[in-house]
Amino acid sequence: MSRPNRSGHIRLTSHPVSGAKPAFPIAWGAPSARERGPIIGTVSQPQDRNVIGSHGGSYAVYRALAVSSGALDPIRRPDLTNTYPAATIGPFAQWTDPARIVALDPWGHLVAENFRAELAEGVDIRPTIAITRARLDLPEIKAALDAKRLVGDGHVVHQNGGLSVVKIAIDPVWYLPGIARRFATSETDLRRALFEQTGGMFPELVTRPDLEVFLPPIGGTTVYLFGDVEKLPDHATRITCRVHDECNGSDVFGSDICTCRPYLIHGIEECARGAQAGGLGLIVYNRKEGRALGEVTKFLVYNARKRNEDGDAAAAYFERTECVAGVQDARFQQLMPDVIHWLGLNRIDRFVSMSDMKYDALTGQGIDIVERVPIPDELIPADAHVEIAAKKAAGYFSPQAPQPQDLIGSVGRPLEKY
């Protein structure tokens, strides 16, 4: 049921009163947070809203359940005392380039600092990025220490196998004109597809072209930084990076049918080693379960593969996915480079991935990649070799990684075949 706004009128959409000017206009790509304007996805103060959707991504639905059950006051605003970032990130030049960052709010972690006066006046502005420090405990890292692949230093890698990291959570914030350009479509077609494929969940997508920012109800991104974060602005800092798309079955539960957790752990190990050598390690973890097709679809495909009368063959690996889902892969990495731009990076020295989709997305956005690091054969589970063979056959990734001595031209320009 919709609730009255401050004037007492019930509003079913975010359409403004005729002739009214927005209280908080957004100028995407402006040189400061205040000039850009706050991102306001409030549902309790509709007169202040300047985006489509609401804060919290997919968790907005759980928030609705909490409100409906009486556990949450629908007009309550968060108390942001002492929630400021545990490490300094930015600002960087890319933050003011509207073509470089279109899928997140670069100022999203600095809300309490930049909009203190508005918050004090009761405006419902919420952070979309949070930065904290943490310790990771992974049994594979202890095994790497025992095998002498890693050495404890008490700073990045601890003797008990723990890893010290800066951990960053990022909710998606989409600048629709930029998203449309990134996907080489029109903003009108993008808005209509988003409206139709969500069952008309957000009517403003097709009725309010004045609202250019959308908070999509999808999962976000988590970033893990290894090493001294203060080295980020120094372009001489060597960066080791793994961009990883979520695979709950392998990453969390250790399924041996794919290489996801082994590749993730391999990336973490390489990032820790890079940080120990004076550089920075970077794990970007995107919520794109099952190649962004979802876990139900993924498990249906598993069944179809295993029940194939010719066995689980590499040639039919992606064909079975397309039969079930209609597409082989819905991850579309075009938005992935935004977090790299947000970190102020224009070069990755060691990219722990053989995915050509990820490589092409990064280099297409002007980020140089010096070396691509493949997963060692001994880390590939026996049942996952079908996946590796299928990806090679489908052109998902290059079977061989270029080494530094193979690179030509400017820094990060690999040979043409890669």
Side-chain angles (χ1 to χ4, degrees):
M1 169 174 148
S2 92
R3 296 178 179 272
N5 62 17
R6 287 176 184 168
S7 65
H9 295 98
I10 291 177
R11 302 289 297 278
L12 296 177
T13 72
S14 63
H15 284 261
V17 175
S18 178
K21 293 183 178 180
F24 300 97
I26 295 174
W28 198 266
S32 70
R34 293 203 62 81
E35 291 171 278
R36 198 284 310 279
I39 301 295
I40 305 178
T42 179
V43 294
S44 61
Q45 300 172 358
Q47 73 285 350
D48 293 338
R49 287 173 58 81
N50 59 8
V51 303
I52 302 164
S54 64
H55 287 297
S58 57
Y59 293 98
V61 176
Y62 288 105
R63 188 170 64 239
L65 289 176
V67 169
S68 67
S69 68
L72 175 64
D73 181 351
I75 64 171
R76 185 187 183 280
R77 293 184 298 109
D79 179 356
L80 300 179
T81 304
N82 289 330
T83 62
Y84 56 85
T88 300
I89 303 290
F92 297 111
Q94 292 95 318
W95 292 17
T96 60
D97 184 343
R100 287 283 180 259
I101 297 179
V102 300
L104 59 87
D105 173 12
W107 308 96
H109 56 310
L110 301 172
V111 164
E113 172 186 330
N114 287 307
F115 300 105
R116 185 177 291 111
E118 288 81 1
L119 287 166
E121 291 173 359
V123 181
D124 188 8
I125 310 171
R126 306 192 181 198
T128 57
I129 299 175
I131 304 173
T132 190
R133 293 185 182 273
R135 182 80 66 89
L136 306 183
D137 289 310
L138 301 166
E140 292 93 337
I141 299 301
K142 183 64 168 66
L145 286 169
D146 293 341
K148 309 299 182 186
R149 294 198 310 272
L150 280 177
V151 188
D153 62 277
H155 176 59
V156 178
V157 182
H158 302 274
Q159 294 297 340
N160 66 354
L163 297 164
S164 291
V165 297
V166 168
K167 187 162 63 171
I168 305 167
I170 303 174
D171 280 342
V173 178
W174 286 6
Y175 175 57
L176 292 173
I179 298 280
R181 283 192 291 270
R182 195 74 66 84
F183 281 86
T185 188
S186 72
E187 186 182 341
T188 298
D189 287 346
L190 172 66
R191 284 173 176 264
R192 180 157 295 280
L194 288 169
F195 171 74
E196 291 174 348
Q197 295 305 312
T198 57
M201 189 184 298
F202 302 98
E204 293 89 349
L205 283 166
V206 291
T207 61
R208 289 207 58 182
D210 60 310
L211 293 182
E212 296 185 322
V213 175
F214 177 42
L215 305 183
I218 60 174
T221 296
T222 309
V223 174
Y224 296 85
L225 284 168
F226 301 73
D228 186 356
V229 177
E230 293 182 359
K231 293 180 177 180
L232 265 178
D234 183 354
H235 293 305
T237 302
R238 284 180 56 82
I239 304 296
T240 301
C241 175
R242 164 74 182 164
V243 175
H244 191 91
D245 293 333
E246 178 183 29
C247 177
N248 182 64
S250 180
D251 297 342
V252 178
F253 292 100
S255 168
D256 63 352
I257 200 169
C258 67
T259 57
C260 294
R261 182 176 173 92
Y263 223 145
L264 176 60
I265 296 299
H266 173 56
I268 290 172
E269 188 175 324
E270 291 291 338
C271 284
R273 191 176 295 110
Q276 287 180 314
L280 276 171
L282 168 64
I283 296 290
V284 178
Y285 194 90
N286 295 308
R287 296 317 189 285
K288 297 179 182 177
E289 178 65 56
R291 297 197 290 277
L293 297 169
E295 207 165 32
V296 169
T297 295
K298 182 164 68 171
F299 288 5
L300 293 173
V301 172
Y302 284 169
N303 285 344
R305 285 171 49 196
K306 293 173 182 177
R307 291 167 179 159
N308 186 349
E309 60 182 18
D310 297 323
D312 191 12
Y317 184 90
F318 291 110
E319 179 187 344
R320 295 310 307 152
T321 301
E322 190 167 0
C323 286
V324 174
V327 65
Q328 292 185 1
D329 195 324
R331 285 177 294 179
F332 304 113
Q333 301 290 347
Q334 285 93 327
L335 302 180
M336 175 267 291
D338 285 37
V339 68
I340 307 298
H341 291 310
W342 178 70
L343 292 167
L345 302 175
N346 54 30
R347 187 192 71 252
I348 295 172
D349 296 276
R350 306 189 76 236
F351 187 49
V352 190
S353 170
M354 293 313 299
S355 167
D356 288 343
M357 293 173 65
K358 295 173 184 176
Y359 173 85
D360 291 344
L362 289 164
T363 56
Q365 277 285 302
I367 297 166
D368 284 325
I369 294 179
V370 179
E371 178 187 0
R372 297 168 75 179
V373 181
I375 186 171
D377 286 341
E378 61 270 19
L379 294 183
I380 301 174
D383 287 347
H385 281 279
V386 170
E387 177 194 50
I388 294 294
K391 287 184 174 181
K392 288 179 182 178
Y396 266 63
F397 65 82
S398 298
Q400 300 296 325
Q403 300 303 313
Q405 65 269 19
D406 297 326
L407 303 175
I408 59 175
S410 61
V411 172
R413 297 289 183 192
L415 291 170
E416 194 63 29
K417 66 177 180 177
Y418 296 108

